[in-house]
Amino acid sequence: MTVFEAVKERRSVRKFLDKKIPQKAIESLIESIIWAPSAGNLQSRRFYFVFNREVKSQIAAAALNQRFIAEAPLTIVGCTDNRIRRYYGERGVSLYSIQDTAASIENLMLVAYELGLGSVWIGAFNELEVARILNLPDYLRPVAIVPVGYPNEKPYPPSRIPKSEAVVFIT
C-alpha cells in the first residue's frame, strides 16, 4: 500500500475485536510517533499507551462516556509538553506543541491502518479528568485520545468538501 492509499482508505473505527495487538505492531506505532516532525526538533509531546481495562474505562467516562474507548485493546493519550515555552514562548505552548502532537497522531493512525488496525481521533473529553486519571505532571496537557485495535466494522468513506472550498490558489 502506498502512503496516498492509506490516507484515502483509512477510516475512523469505533468497534474493535477483542484481539491483542502484537508487540511488533506496538513497536511500529511507537516508531511512527517519534519520527513525526516537530518544531525545532524539540519533540514536545508525550504519549501514554494504556492497556489497563480499568484505566481505559475511566478515560472513557471522562470522554463523555464514549464506551468504545474502553473496548479497544489499546488506548493512546497524546499530550503536549508545555516545557517548549522555554524555547518558543507562549506560541510554542498554544500552537507548536499541539502541531507536534497532531503530526505524531496522524503518523500513528496511518501506520495503524497499514498494520490492519483501526483507530479514531477523539478530542471530546475532560482534560483535567484525564490528566488526573493518568497522574500527569503539570507540564503535560492531554489533547487527544486514540483507541486502537483490530476493526470490527468497515465504515463507509465520509463525504469531503469540494477541492475548490479546501484550496485557494494564489498565482
Side-chain angles (χ1 to χ4, degrees):
M1 137 185 354
T2 68
V3 174
F4 189 68
E5 288 170 333
V7 167
K8 288 188 76 174
E9 294 172 10
R10 187 212 60 80
R11 299 285 173 264
S12 293
V13 173
R14 293 174 179 85
K15 293 181 182 174
F16 302 96
L17 297 173
D18 185 17
K19 181 178 174 184
K20 186 177 177 183
I21 301 170
Q23 187 59 37
K24 186 174 181 181
I26 299 295
E27 291 300 323
S28 293
L29 296 175
I30 292 168
E31 288 286 319
S32 73
I33 286 171
I34 65 172
W35 282 102
S38 68
N41 196 32
L42 294 174
Q43 303 170 54
S44 60
R45 62 221 169 189
R46 175 91 43 94
F47 291 85
Y48 287 73
F49 279 49
V50 182
F51 298 93
N52 181 284
R53 194 172 297 272
E54 175 55 33
V55 176
K56 289 187 296 182
S57 290
Q58 291 176 37
I59 291 169
L64 310 177
N65 290 311
Q66 297 179 74
R67 298 307 316 158
F68 61 88
I69 294 170
E71 294 164 6
L74 168 61
T75 294
I76 300 170
V77 179
C79 303
T80 62
D81 186 333
N82 294 334
R83 293 176 296 181
I84 194 172
R85 178 179 279 115
R86 289 181 274 193
Y87 303 95
Y88 290 118
E90 191 53 39
R91 188 164 174 86
V93 172
S94 66
L95 181 61
Y96 301 162
S97 63
I98 293 171
Q99 291 174 329
D100 291 357
T101 307
S104 288
I105 291 170
E106 182 67 12
N107 278 10
L108 166 82
M109 294 177 84
L110 291 172
V111 168
Y113 180 71
E114 178 188 38
L115 295 170
L117 299 166
S119 62
V120 61
W121 190 323
I122 299 168
F125 61 93
N126 181 319
E127 285 184 29
L128 294 177
E129 184 61 15
V130 170
R132 184 197 65 74
I133 292 164
L134 296 176
N135 195 29
L136 299 180
D138 289 344
Y139 57 85
L140 294 181
R141 175 187 176 205
V143 295
I145 299 171
V146 183
V148 179
Y150 289 98
N152 196 14
E153 67 176 340
K154 187 170 170 82
Y156 289 102
S159 61
R160 294 291 181 226
I161 63 170
K163 293 174 188 175
S164 61
E165 289 183 31
V167 176
V168 175
F169 290 96
I170 300 174
T171 58

